[in-house]
Amino acid sequence: MSTTQPIRKTEDIEALKRYFLYEKPSLRNYALLCLGINSALRIGDLLSLTWADIYDFTHNRFLKHIPIIEQKTKKPSRAALNPGAISALALYKNSLANVKGTDALFPGQGRKSPLSRSQAFRILNAAGQALHLETEIGCHTLRKTFGYHAWKMGIQPALLMDIFNHSSFQVTRQYLGIDQDDIDQVFFQVIL
């Protein structure tokens, strides 16, 4: 399991968004960040997406779900496209000319093939370092950030286990980076 942690502070998430919008503008990288933290997809699954996986070119609209076969588990899955993801993807799509369904959603330098996992890592990690974030940013950070914030919002652990395809809550707990500070916070919130 990766040693990266989720981005716990929403202000750090917003700083990363601003970084890709204004400081080192890249709507591709902005859309990758936004889709990653809003979909809980593994980085390999994100990078393998084409435009046809998320956009209906016949009706000119984004799909409601991303249907995938998870690369790691080989199991079918669906991730809903929420307004945060759609907003970033629409901004990105509108900046491109002649997008085709077969085009990689997040192309590498050659624009023919998808961004590699190592390129995605370098992009995300460099942004985190440029912003001096406490959390070391890696590819799994996006998925973990989704889970951590869902858990903080009160989403049931069993549902998160299902979303992540984990075999136990212990795996999910470790994956989300639930630490002693999170546990201590419960004691200060429950005052009887």
Side-chain angles (χ1 to χ4, degrees):
M1 192 176 301
S2 175
T3 58
T4 59
Q5 294 292 312
I7 303 166
R8 289 178 173 83
K9 298 177 185 173
T10 54
E11 54 268 20
D12 288 348
I13 295 169
E14 293 305 315
L16 280 167
K17 289 179 182 180
R18 285 191 305 274
Y19 179 82
F20 290 127
L21 283 174
Y22 308 114
E23 294 176 42
K24 191 160 184 181
S26 170
L27 291 178
R28 179 200 64 188
N29 298 345
Y30 174 73
L32 176 65
L33 171 72
C34 292
L35 184 58
I37 62 176
N38 281 290
S39 69
L41 293 176
R42 289 181 181 87
I43 193 69
D45 295 326
L46 276 173
L47 297 176
S48 69
L49 293 174
T50 64
W51 278 99
D53 293 324
I54 63 147
Y55 194 80
D56 178 349
F57 285 88
T58 304
H59 297 99
N60 293 319
R61 64 180 180 213
F62 285 93
L63 300 173
K64 292 182 180 182
H65 294 90
I66 305 170
I68 62 163
I69 303 293
E70 292 181 358
Q71 289 179 356
K72 183 175 180 179
T73 65
K74 306 296 184 232
K75 294 179 181 176
S77 182
R78 287 175 16 131
L81 278 175
N82 70 20
I86 290 174
S87 174
L89 290 166
L91 187 63
Y92 174 41
K93 183 179 180 300
N94 290 338
S95 74
L96 302 173
N98 303 320
V99 175
K100 297 181 195 105
T102 56
D103 292 346
L105 182 58
F106 302 113
Q109 287 183 337
R111 303 216 34 98
K112 296 279 185 202
S113 60
L115 195 64
S116 72
R117 184 184 177 97
S118 59
Q119 288 172 308
F121 172 81
R122 283 192 295 274
I123 289 164
L124 295 169
N125 190 267
Q129 288 181 3
L131 295 169
H132 307 289
L133 300 183
E134 293 175 21
T135 304
E136 184 177 329
I137 306 294
C139 292
H140 251 50
T141 300
L142 305 180
R143 181 170 155 94
K144 288 180 176 187
T145 298
F146 170 87
Y148 179 81
H149 287 278
W151 173 72
K152 291 295 276 188
M153 291 175 183
I155 302 302
Q156 294 299 312
L159 189 53
L160 289 173
M161 284 172 47
D162 192 44
I163 289 169
F164 288 132
N165 237 334
H166 289 161
S167 58
S168 72
F169 179 66
Q170 189 61 24
V171 172
T172 303
R173 180 179 179 266
Q174 182 182 4
Y175 193 82
L176 298 180
I178 297 171
D179 60 16
Q180 189 60 49
D181 289 341
D182 295 311
I183 294 167
D184 289 351
Q185 191 176 25
V186 172
F187 289 101
F188 291 108
Q189 287 177 341
V190 179
I191 302 172
L192 305 171

